[in-house]
């Protein structure tokens, strides 16, 4: 086995780090003002386009970067170092948009790839969080189209996006279906913008849909395919969360290590205290082990050496392990900083707040455990093995 990054992967890692370093200068502004002004959005958009890292999950022939899953993981690990969720400004269109018809692609996806539009995914509802099959938003047949009625919560980037991918129960069969909905369509209303524990460059608003009329051409991926398309997106997005949390944890450890070496108490560097050394060592182990596993699963996805259900379970394992390990890491790192770690002007404090949500969104830790346990019960311990091993 060769675990070294290829020259191409090293190049992508360096490009992502350079872009990350550029965006880092906006962190305190984002924290202090709960977001960034339009001029900053423009500057960062231009920097993303110049880096060539826009739409890394979309084919080059459509204008994306056309990266493999492992290459995307390498990039996301670097972007995960950013606080304020500024990593989300390096846009990755929702994977569901790869199911666009040619006409939909020209209207929605290509402008997103080039930074002229922005999408958001509206799935969760007051009674449909971990269980997306409980959606109550409906799509009722009309002449030449559909009427959407319902409510969506936690619509990340919903304040900034100009169109939505909405999951609804379509027709009398309540077939789970995705719809492309321009946000300025009559009947779409952003009803509430909650204040969250973390600072995020974008918001996660709540929306209502009241007799929102869309045409047949708004259906994305076909009637009844909404869950399958969303599940395929979850597999990849959970790997990206694993990668980003690892990158965030590594930044926290770098900051804590430097602080421990420089900070003196009782006449010694605190790095010389064994309890501090233990926290540093445990953090290094959490990061190293989870990076290796995330890279392994990403490679398996690219190589196509495992079936879809096995990869779904392995992505769940990666997301579960990395998000929880990164939470442990940043908790230790804040402790090493002591009282300074509680100061919002320090990146370690911001990382502490921001990493908490990674155990909740795109499937809670409890849901990930159920996915992994289900695979074990149904098919045995094969999920633990590398392809070709016994």
């Amino acid at each position: 086995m060769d675990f070294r990054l290829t020259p191409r992967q090293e190049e992508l890692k360096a490009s992502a780090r350079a872009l990350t370093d550029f965006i880092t200068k906006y962190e305190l502004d984002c924290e202090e003002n709960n977001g960034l002004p339009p001029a900053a959005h423009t500057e960062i958009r231009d920097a993303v386009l110049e880096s060539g890292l826009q739409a890394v999950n979309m084919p080059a022939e459509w204008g994306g970067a056309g990266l493999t899953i492992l290459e995307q993981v390498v990039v996301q690990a670097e972007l995960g170092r950013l606080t304020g969720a500024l990593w989300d400004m390096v846009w990755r269109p929702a994977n569901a948009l790869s199911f666009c018809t040619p006409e939909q692609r020209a209207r929605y996806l290509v402008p997103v790839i080039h930074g002229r539009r922005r999408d958001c995914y509206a799935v969760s509802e007051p009674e449909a969080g971990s269980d997306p099959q409980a959606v109550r938003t409906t799509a009722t047949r009309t002449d030449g189209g559909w009427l959407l009625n319902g409510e969506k919560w936690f619509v990340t980037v919903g304040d900034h996006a100009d169109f939505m991918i909405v999951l609804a129960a379509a027709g009398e069969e309540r077939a789970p279906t995705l719809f492309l909905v321009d946000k300025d369509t009559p009947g779409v209303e952003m009803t509430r913008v909650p204040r969250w524990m973390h600072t995020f460059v974008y918001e996660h608003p709540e929306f209502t849909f009241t007799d929102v009329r869309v045409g047949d051409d708004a259906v994305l991926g076909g009637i009844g395919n909404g869950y399958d398309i969303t599940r395929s997106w979850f597999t990849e997005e959970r790997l990206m969360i694993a990668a980003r949390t690892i990158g965030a944890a590594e930044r926290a450890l770098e900051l804590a290590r430097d602080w421990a070496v420089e900070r003196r108490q009782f006449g010694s560097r605190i790095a010389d205290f064994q309890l501090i050394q233990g926290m540093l060592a445990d953090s290094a182990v959490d990061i190293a082990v989870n990076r290796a596993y995330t890279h392994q699963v990403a490679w398996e996805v690219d190589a196509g050496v495992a079936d879809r259900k096995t990869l779904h379970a392995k992505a769940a394992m990666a997301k579960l392990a990395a998000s929880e390990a990164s939470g442990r890491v940043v908790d230790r790192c804040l402790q090493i900083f002591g009282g300074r770690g509680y100061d919002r002007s320090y990146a370690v404090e911001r990382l502490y707040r921001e990493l908490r949500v990674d155990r909740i969104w795109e499937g809670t830790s409890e849901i990930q455990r159920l996915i992994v346990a289900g695979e074990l019960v149904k098919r045995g311990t094969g999920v633990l093995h590398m392809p070709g091993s016994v």
Side-chain angles (χ1 to χ4, degrees):
M1 299 181 187
D2 188 348
F3 292 100
R4 293 173 297 179
L5 296 182
T6 66
R8 168 65 172 159
Q9 291 162 355
E10 290 283 10
E11 179 184 353
L12 288 167
K13 180 180 175 71
S15 296
R17 174 58 72 90
L19 181 60
T20 297
D21 289 344
F22 172 80
I23 299 175
T24 297
K25 68 182 181 181
Y26 295 91
E27 285 185 336
L28 282 178
D29 189 11
C30 183
E31 172 64 30
E32 292 171 358
N33 297 293
N34 197 46
L36 294 174
H41 280 269
T42 300
E43 291 166 5
I44 294 174
R45 181 201 64 197
D46 292 347
V48 172
L49 291 170
E50 185 177 352
S51 75
L53 294 176
Q54 76 284 354
V56 294
N57 58 333
M58 291 295 161
E61 57 264 32
W62 295 348
L67 304 190
T68 67
I69 298 300
L70 179 53
E71 288 170 344
Q72 292 179 49
V73 160
V74 170
V75 168
Q76 292 298 312
E78 295 301 318
L79 298 176
R81 299 170 63 89
L82 291 162
T83 67
L86 289 165
W87 47 264
D88 205 19
M89 300 188 77
V90 187
W91 59 92
R92 295 174 69 250
N95 288 354
L97 292 174
S98 63
F99 291 85
C100 282
T101 64
E103 293 76 16
Q104 290 172 334
R105 188 186 309 146
R107 180 177 175 184
Y108 292 103
L109 178 55
V110 171
V112 171
I113 289 172
H114 293 293
R116 298 193 300 270
R117 300 196 73 175
R118 188 68 192 258
D119 62 295
C120 61
Y121 217 128
V123 176
S124 296
E125 299 182 3
E127 304 301 324
S130 293
D131 179 13
Q133 298 186 56
V135 294
R136 295 182 179 177
T137 297
T138 59
T140 305
R141 260 288 183 201
T142 64
D143 288 340
W146 302 83
L147 279 182
L148 302 183
N149 284 279
E151 183 177 8
K152 294 294 181 182
W153 285 14
F154 312 128
V155 184
T156 301
V157 196
D159 60 319
H160 191 79
D162 65 333
F163 74 94
M164 316 174 80
I165 302 167
V166 181
L167 179 65
E172 294 181 0
E173 301 80 11
R174 294 186 55 82
T177 303
L178 297 174
F179 292 87
L180 294 165
V181 182
D182 290 307
K183 208 169 73 176
D184 60 1
T185 304
V188 177
E189 182 182 0
M190 188 165 68
T191 53
R192 180 171 175 257
V193 182
R195 294 269 62 83
W196 302 98
M197 175 176 169
H198 63 208
T199 300
F200 203 106
V201 66
Y202 302 119
E203 300 287 3
H204 318 272
E206 298 170 6
F207 287 86
T208 57
F209 301 83
T210 307
D211 290 335
V212 176
R213 187 177 298 274
V214 297
D216 284 327
D217 59 355
V219 174
L220 176 63
I223 302 296
N225 295 323
Y227 292 149
D228 288 340
I229 292 173
T230 301
R231 271 195 292 266
S232 67
W233 172 69
F234 276 150
T235 297
E236 293 189 15
E237 187 54 32
R238 284 165 181 166
L239 283 173
M240 300 309 143
I241 289 173
R244 286 196 298 269
T245 57
I246 292 163
E250 183 167 7
R251 183 184 181 190
L253 180 57
E254 290 172 1
L255 294 170
R257 178 267 171 198
D258 291 348
W259 178 262
V261 168
E262 296 168 5
R263 176 74 166 163
R264 299 186 69 85
Q265 291 289 281
F266 306 105
S268 299
R269 303 180 307 173
I270 65 171
D272 296 327
F273 302 153
Q274 288 183 336
L275 290 175
I276 298 295
Q277 292 175 356
M279 288 191 281
L280 293 172
D282 287 344
S283 296
V285 171
D286 276 334
I287 293 166
V289 170
N290 282 284
R291 176 186 287 117
Y293 186 68
T294 301
H295 281 201
Q296 173 194 319
V297 178
W299 173 83
E300 290 184 32
V301 173
D302 287 332
V305 293
D307 64 272
R308 180 178 62 85
K309 289 185 178 180
T310 298
L311 291 174
H312 183 63
K314 287 192 171 188
M317 289 172 65
K319 195 257 188 187
L320 171 64
S323 63
E324 297 209 339
S326 297
R328 294 192 298 270
V329 169
V330 74
D331 184 77
R332 297 183 195 112
C333 292
L334 189 150
Q335 191 72 12
I336 290 170
F337 269 84
R340 308 289 179 88
Y342 224 58
D343 182 336
R344 290 192 175 198
S345 66
Y346 284 72
V348 71
E349 187 278 340
R350 301 193 297 274
L351 290 169
Y352 180 85
R353 281 184 288 122
E354 292 166 13
L355 281 169
R356 184 61 184 85
V357 75
D358 291 295
R359 286 179 268 167
I360 298 173
W361 61 8
E362 322 311 358
T364 63
S365 289
E366 291 70 32
I367 290 296
Q368 308 312 311
R369 288 184 170 94
L370 290 177
I371 292 169
V372 175
E375 181 73 6
L376 289 169
V377 170
K378 292 174 185 175
R379 301 205 288 176
T381 59
V383 70
L384 301 176
H385 301 302
M386 286 280 285
S389 63
V390 294

